[in-house]
Amino acid sequence: MDASDSATIAVPGPSGPWRRIKREWFLAIAVLTCAIFVLFGDVIFASLGNYLTLGLVFVWLFAVVIGSALGVVRHAEAISRRLGEPYGTLVLTLSITAIEVMSITAVMLHGENNPTLLRDTMFSVVMILMGGTIGLSLLLGALRHREQSINLQGANAYLGVIVPLAVLSMVLPDFTSTTDGPTLSLVQQIMLGTIAGGLYFTFLLIQTGRHRSYFTQPDAVDRAEEQASGALPLHFGLLLAYIVPVVLLVEQLARPIDYVIETLGAPHMVGGVMVAILVATPEGIGGIKAALRNELQTSVNVFLGGVLATIGLTVPIMLVLAHMLGLDLILGLQSSNLVLLMLMLAVSVITFSSGRTNLLQGAVHLLLFGAFLILLFEG
């Protein structure tokens, strides 16, 4: 090695902290967007009657909220890898649930009363995660790997909790007679919240305790656990920093959503679908990447875990908030949506009943998701 080679090697690259700061460039965009809408929001929203302005404002806000949510999930996953279980799972789940609860509350408190928003969000999360993202993961995974394996006990554990909670939350209110309409009385709401929260935390104890092996890839090879770079306080600080724009901008995003529903006459369920997309997109990206790596069990954990957290955590929290804020809640699904929910739950049980998946199963889930999108406007 000559002197010139030695000199070349000795040149230091960018420092570690500087590289981490550069990776958080989107946070600057989120903060700038918050400042613009805090200072000039009224002027911007006064022009929503112009369709071009409406579209640009909606896309701008939606993209920044999605990007901030991805930042929250990224740092929550880093904390998860550093803390281990069960604390890592709790941080990740609570971060996603916090985004969902804040989004639902912001949209419900803005504009006209929307008592079906919680129900529409739950149903949309089920159809997006169990239909669209699982279907796409199965399809792309099968195209690359032909067949993929999952841990049958883990998938059954998820579905064994999701099915009763989905039925109790979105089907039972259609058949109770204590109150008018597809709603629940106070006692019934307490029952639902207790069952949902109790089952979720019981599941969490199983997942992070004695039966952790149920939720690992059955054919995975042993490898060193991935370590997250950066100090733990830094990840906590950045997680909170990304949550702040989500809180501020979701409230702003509620205004164009309400305009589309109340002024342009779009279906009320559009609000729930938008909130569900905000929640499902960060999870969907990670789950699809895992399926392409032939780690389908990770996809199952992400997608079914997202559905379970929505019903098991978001429902009890929203029931309490609705009671405190005096908000009405309509939980029971109607007509075609009720059929789609039951069909999606049944198909999911069949899909994950053998421990092996293929192209056909992915196509079935995707087509059911397509039916959901069509019936959203034609149902």
Side-chain angles (χ1 to χ4, degrees):
M1 179 184 300
D2 58 23
S4 60
D5 291 336
S6 178
T8 302
I9 294 175
V11 175
S15 64
W18 175 243
R19 288 200 300 269
R20 285 196 293 270
I21 292 173
K22 289 178 65 177
R23 283 200 296 266
E24 308 303 331
W25 59 270
F26 194 86
L27 183 58
I29 294 178
V31 172
L32 179 61
T33 301
C34 289
I36 291 173
F37 278 90
V38 167
L39 296 175
F40 308 108
D42 292 338
V43 176
I44 295 173
F45 291 127
S47 304
L48 290 182
N50 184 304
Y51 287 174
L52 179 60
T53 302
L54 175 63
L56 290 175
V57 169
F58 177 81
V59 171
W60 180 9
L61 287 171
F62 193 79
V64 175
V65 171
I66 285 286
S68 300
L70 287 170
V72 171
V73 172
R74 175 162 52 86
H75 289 288
E77 289 176 342
I79 294 169
S80 173
R81 292 194 295 269
R82 294 293 295 272
L83 290 182
E85 302 297 349
Y87 306 106
T89 297
L90 283 172
V91 170
L92 182 57
T93 301
L94 292 176
S95 299
I96 296 172
T97 303
I99 293 173
E100 186 170 13
V101 169
M102 288 184 294
S103 302
I104 294 173
T105 305
V107 177
M108 289 186 71
L109 290 176
H110 189 275
E112 296 181 359
N113 184 30
N114 188 358
T116 65
L117 183 64
L118 175 59
R119 177 199 70 185
D120 295 340
T121 300
M122 284 194 296
F123 175 61
S124 300
V125 167
V126 170
M127 297 305 297
I128 291 172
L129 289 180
M130 299 181 72
T133 54
I134 282 182
L136 190 58
S137 296
L138 295 177
L139 189 67
L140 295 178
L143 289 173
R144 176 170 291 188
H145 305 288
R146 296 182 65 86
E147 279 192 349
Q148 293 182 290
S149 61
I150 60 169
N151 194 318
L152 185 58
Q153 292 170 306
N156 285 339
Y158 276 116
L159 293 172
V161 181
I162 289 173
V163 171
L165 286 184
V167 172
L168 287 174
S169 301
M170 292 180 277
V171 179
L172 179 64
D174 289 324
F175 299 95
T176 57
S177 57
T178 308
T179 56
D180 295 331
T183 60
L184 297 175
S185 67
L186 177 59
V187 173
Q188 292 167 343
Q189 289 182 21
I190 294 173
M191 175 199 71
L192 174 60
T194 302
I195 292 175
L199 282 178
Y200 181 80
F201 284 107
T202 302
F203 176 88
L204 194 63
L205 291 175
I206 295 296
Q207 185 185 29
T208 59
R210 65 180 63 186
H211 297 300
R212 291 173 61 180
S213 60
Y214 288 2
F215 307 94
T216 59
Q217 187 70 32
D219 53 358
V221 296
D222 292 334
R223 57 189 174 187
E225 184 178 357
E226 180 183 1
Q227 294 295 323
S229 61
L232 195 58
L234 176 63
H235 288 298
F236 269 114
L238 288 171
L239 183 147
L240 295 175
Y242 276 105
I243 283 183
V244 171
V246 173
V247 175
L248 295 175
L249 295 180
V250 160
E251 184 177 358
Q252 305 297 327
L253 183 61
R255 299 179 71 170
I257 290 177
D258 284 334
Y259 184 87
V260 169
I261 294 173
E262 297 168 9
T263 305
L264 302 184
H268 276 76
M269 194 172 172
V270 168
V273 172
M274 292 297 103
V275 174
I277 292 175
L278 290 177
V279 176
T281 297
E283 296 175 315
I285 293 174
I288 291 172
K289 287 181 178 179
L292 290 173
R293 296 193 305 266
N294 203 22
E295 297 174 0
L296 188 61
Q297 184 62 45
T298 300
S299 301
V300 171
N301 292 345
V302 169
F303 298 143
L304 296 187
V307 174
L308 181 56
T310 292
I311 305 176
L313 281 181
T314 304
V315 168
I317 294 172
M318 287 306 304
L319 287 174
V320 172
L321 287 178
H323 182 71
M324 293 173 57
L325 300 175
L327 301 174
D328 297 324
L329 290 179
I330 295 177
L331 295 176
L333 289 171
Q334 299 295 308
S335 59
S336 59
N337 289 338
L338 182 60
V339 175
L340 277 179
L341 173 67
M342 303 306 293
L343 182 58
M344 180 59 71
L345 293 175
V347 167
S348 297
V349 170
I350 295 171
T351 294
F352 299 117
S353 62
S354 67
R356 303 288 296 179
T357 62
N358 56 49
L359 187 73
L360 176 61
Q361 294 158 327
V364 171
H365 282 259
L366 276 179
L367 289 175
L368 287 180
F369 177 66
F372 161 72
L373 294 178
I374 293 173
L375 293 174
L376 176 64
F377 296 96
E378 297 292 335

